[in-house]
Amino acid sequence: MSTERLPISVLKRRFVPGQWDLVAFVLVFGALAYLAHAAYGLTRPLAHLTAEHISLSPWALPGYAAQTALRMLVAMGASLLFTFTYATLAAKSRRAAAVLVPLLDILQSVPILGFSFTIVFFLSLTPGREAGAEMAAVFLVFTSQAWNMAFSFYHSLRSIPSELDEAARAFHLGPWMRFWRLEVPFAMPALIWNMMMSMSGGWFFVVAAEAISVGRTTVTLPGIGSYIARAIAARDLGAIGWAIGAMTVVILIYDQVIFRPLIASADWFRLEQEAGLTPSRSWALTMMRRSRLLRFAGGAFGALVRLGFNRAPAPARAKRPRTRRRWSEGLWRGSLAAGVVALVWLIGRYVFAHASPYQVAHVAGLGLLTLLRVVVLIALASAIWVPVGVYVGLRPKLAGRVQPVAQFLAAFPVNLLFPVVVSGIVAFKLDPNIWLSPLMILGTQWYILFNVIVGASALPTELKQVGRNLRVRGWLWWRRVALPAVFPFYVTGAITAAGGSWNASIVSEVADWGNKRLVAAGLGAYIANATRAGNFAQTVLGIVVMSLFVVIINRLFWRPLYARAERKFRMD
């Protein structure tokens, strides 16, 4: 139909920009302009990146906040790409999972300071320029975001209901379309909440990412993290207050522009919708739907996804003889075992070349102290947040109100509490070994809450109705309905929370406020002190011991619990 025959009202709707197009244009143009400015800044010389150039003036905070927000966004994009590739391979290949899942356990146990050696690597990529330092900061933030998202996506892919899998086979979906039509939509509700948690985890470690010293190498990038680090060193409570305000504004912007639309769109991906349930609303999602500019960009992405729609799945391979499969499996396991033995031998050789058996035993003892803190804190957090998460998850309207509050609390850097904690411990002559411990769980307990909320919100409607009809109440309802439903999600959150607590020990067992410094005996304090002193051998020893603790606990406790959750409590 030609445009001459169309009514004027239709032509106006199709071709005349509306108010949402104007809003979208302003946001997109502003983002592109800022990205261009940031890209120009990457060419600046590295010499000016020193702590002395960080101003504590509140007028400098908007620029610092924008730079930190951009680093967090780039790291989130890299984490999402890592999640879609790494977790998918681990979930679909049994042989790959034998390597990738334990490796993920190790990676999440390595504290952010353990990746600080990458600063030298990234700086060498762009000698004398700021770009290398920016890449190092983004990578350090990435290490605090990616593991949680990968665990969540891996768990979702492993728990796809059998009827959905059969439907995908019946429609002959190829691997590409199966991924975008089944696996990503099914995993999206849990992944969105874990993306928010990962973003909050990035805020928790942004101080270490933007202001870090490794021996003689010091990198201090302009941002909220380095602003907080200098405010703590200067004991400036006013500057800390301004930093909290700037963080609040950035978190609210992220919530409104990114996470609120994602939460609202997550309703599309739920397996079932409750009657009478009001869908979540977001002005940004409305803008994306009604803006022609953004609809065009979305259509281009949809066309890319549909490239594989008509591509039939690859024909099934003929089964190899059982004897050949046994030889192949044995060769794979043997190669894997040989690689593990060789790696353990190389690490052990390096460690014992720089440390005596007594030092290794001493560090292992420090690891036991940190382990005791992690066990007690995870137990307390579970007792508090599992009931709260179930209560909130069963009430979608309440979950919408709780989400931004929990997101802000999860993003709150524990370093900002150092003035209160250090002053209180000194004033009341308290034991740092006890009273510094809660700082380890402040930023990681939200993994449990967020995952339990997702599990409770995914509780099937028919199961709720059966419980009501049979009048299942009290402890029986918790034991037969609520806890089995959220158990797989709780295990995912508890694994990540436990690994995050080990990671957080490096900033929680050592608290600085001006010239006052409190140290709690533990493995985190050992690694922090070794990194600050530039003792690479002691840093490696501490990281190796921490990784061994986490991997052994995951193998002996969390993984069997996770397998039981998949086997017994899967909602098929």
Side-chain angles (χ1 to χ4, degrees):
M1 181 181 293
S2 64
T3 57
E4 296 179 357
R5 299 180 181 178
L6 291 176
I8 296 177
S9 58
V10 176
L11 290 173
K12 185 177 179 181
R13 279 199 308 270
R14 286 191 178 183
F15 301 108
V16 178
Q19 59 180 354
W20 291 113
D21 291 289
L22 179 61
V23 175
F25 176 78
V26 171
L27 292 177
V28 172
F29 181 78
L32 292 176
Y34 178 70
L35 288 175
H37 176 73
Y40 174 77
L42 297 178
T43 62
R44 292 181 299 186
L46 189 63
H48 79 287
L49 293 182
T50 60
E52 289 74 16
H53 285 81
I54 303 299
S55 172
L56 293 183
S57 169
W59 299 107
L61 268 175
Y64 292 162
Q67 290 173 290
T68 297
L70 180 60
R71 295 181 191 114
M72 301 278 285
L73 187 61
V74 173
M76 177 58 66
S79 300
L80 199 59
L81 178 62
F82 173 83
T83 296
F84 283 160
T85 53
Y86 190 100
T88 302
L89 182 59
K92 294 188 175 184
S93 172
R94 185 166 55 88
R95 291 184 177 182
V99 177
L100 299 182
V101 175
L103 183 59
L104 199 59
D105 290 336
I106 295 174
L107 290 173
Q108 78 156 352
S109 68
V110 177
I112 189 171
L113 294 181
F115 295 100
S116 58
F117 68 91
T118 59
I119 291 179
V120 178
F121 168 74
F122 284 111
L123 290 179
S124 65
L125 295 180
T126 57
R129 297 297 174 185
E130 188 178 330
E134 291 286 355
M135 287 189 288
V138 168
F139 179 76
L140 292 177
V141 175
F142 164 85
T143 62
S144 65
Q145 295 179 345
W147 324 135
N148 170 52
M149 294 168 56
F151 267 126
S152 171
F153 198 69
Y154 171 79
H155 161 69
S156 296
L157 295 186
R158 292 292 300 270
S159 57
I160 292 178
S162 56
E163 60 268 21
L164 293 183
D165 183 69
E166 292 173 0
R169 295 177 185 274
F171 282 104
H172 300 287
L173 296 184
W176 178 253
M177 288 307 300
R178 175 187 171 88
F179 181 77
W180 289 110
R181 295 290 187 180
L182 171 61
E183 293 165 354
V184 171
F186 178 79
M188 190 57 66
L191 182 60
I192 289 172
W193 281 86
N194 281 280
M195 285 172 63
M196 291 189 295
M197 191 64 243
S198 293
M199 181 66 76
S200 300
W203 281 105
F204 185 80
F205 289 105
V206 73
V207 176
E210 291 181 348
I212 188 170
S213 297
V214 185
R216 297 180 179 179
T217 303
T218 301
V219 175
T220 305
L221 288 168
I224 293 182
S226 53
Y227 183 95
I228 292 172
R230 188 168 185 202
I232 291 174
R235 302 181 66 179
D236 191 334
L237 289 174
I240 290 179
W242 284 112
I244 293 175
M247 278 186 55
T248 304
V249 172
V250 175
I251 292 172
L252 289 176
I253 292 175
Y254 264 122
D255 177 70
Q256 291 296 314
V257 177
I258 298 179
F259 292 123
R260 185 68 60 175
L262 287 175
I263 291 174
S265 62
D267 294 336
W268 306 339
F269 306 122
R270 297 192 184 279
L271 293 181
E272 55 184 31
Q273 303 291 336
E274 291 190 38
L277 180 63
T278 303
S280 302
R281 294 181 178 180
S282 166
W283 66 267
L285 183 61
T286 302
M287 176 195 67
M288 295 173 191
R289 289 174 174 174
R290 298 183 180 179
S291 169
R292 296 174 180 83
L293 175 65
L294 297 182
R295 280 209 310 267
F296 175 78
F301 178 76
L304 179 64
V305 170
R306 288 190 295 271
L307 285 177
F309 184 73
N310 296 322
R311 192 174 301 170
R317 296 181 180 179
K319 292 187 176 180
R320 292 175 296 179
R322 182 174 298 180
T323 305
R324 186 177 177 183
R325 291 203 307 270
R326 287 179 179 177
W327 274 102
S328 176
E329 189 70 22
L331 181 61
W332 167 251
R333 292 183 178 181
S335 302
L336 186 61
V340 171
V341 170
L343 182 62
V344 170
W345 181 78
L346 290 173
I347 294 176
R349 180 182 177 185
Y350 178 83
V351 168
F352 284 103
H354 296 84
S356 65
Y358 172 79
Q359 290 175 310
V360 175
H362 172 68
V363 176
L366 295 177
L368 290 175
L369 291 176
T370 301
L371 172 63
L372 177 62
R373 294 190 180 101
V374 171
V375 170
V376 172
L377 293 171
I378 292 296
L380 291 175
S382 301
I384 294 172
W385 294 119
V386 169
V388 174
V390 172
Y391 183 85
V392 173
L394 293 177
R395 295 161 177 81
K397 291 183 179 179
L398 179 60
R401 298 189 185 101
V402 168
Q403 173 261 323
V405 177
Q407 184 184 346
F408 172 76
L409 293 176
F412 196 83
V414 68
N415 314 65
L416 297 180
L417 296 177
F418 284 176
V420 177
V421 174
V422 174
S423 301
I425 292 176
V426 172
F428 294 99
K429 299 181 180 179
L430 302 176
D431 186 358
N433 292 297
I434 297 176
W435 295 99
L436 284 180
S437 300
L439 297 177
M440 292 173 58
I441 199 68
L442 287 180
T444 59
Q445 59 186 334
W446 312 108
Y447 288 112
I448 297 176
L449 175 62
F450 277 33
N451 279 278
V452 171
I453 289 176
V454 173
S457 64
L459 190 66
T461 304
E462 60 269 18
L463 188 58
K464 299 178 189 176
Q465 294 173 348
V466 168
R468 295 192 194 104
N469 293 337
L470 297 179
R471 297 182 180 179
V472 180
R473 300 171 182 170
W475 172 241
L476 181 62
W477 180 82
W478 282 95
R479 188 163 58 91
R480 293 298 186 185
V481 179
L483 294 181
V486 303
F487 187 70
F489 297 88
Y490 164 75
V491 173
T492 301
I495 291 174
T496 313
S501 297
W502 283 94
N503 206 327
S505 66
I506 62 171
V507 295
S508 303
E509 293 181 345
V510 179
D512 291 307
W513 176 238
N515 56 1
K516 293 181 181 179
R517 191 179 193 204
L518 298 179
V519 178
L523 191 54
Y526 179 87
I527 296 175
N529 292 332
T531 304
R532 180 174 298 187
N535 193 325
F536 185 71
Q538 289 185 359
T539 302
V540 171
L541 175 59
I543 292 173
V544 168
V545 171
M546 182 176 287
S547 299
L548 286 176
F549 268 101
V550 174
V551 171
I552 291 173
I553 294 170
N554 284 353
R555 292 290 102 186
L556 298 182
F557 179 73
W558 288 118
R559 288 305 162 191
L561 205 62
Y562 191 90
R564 179 178 176 81
E566 283 186 326
R567 183 177 62 254
K568 189 173 182 179
F569 301 112
R570 180 172 171 172
M571 291 291 177
D572 273 352

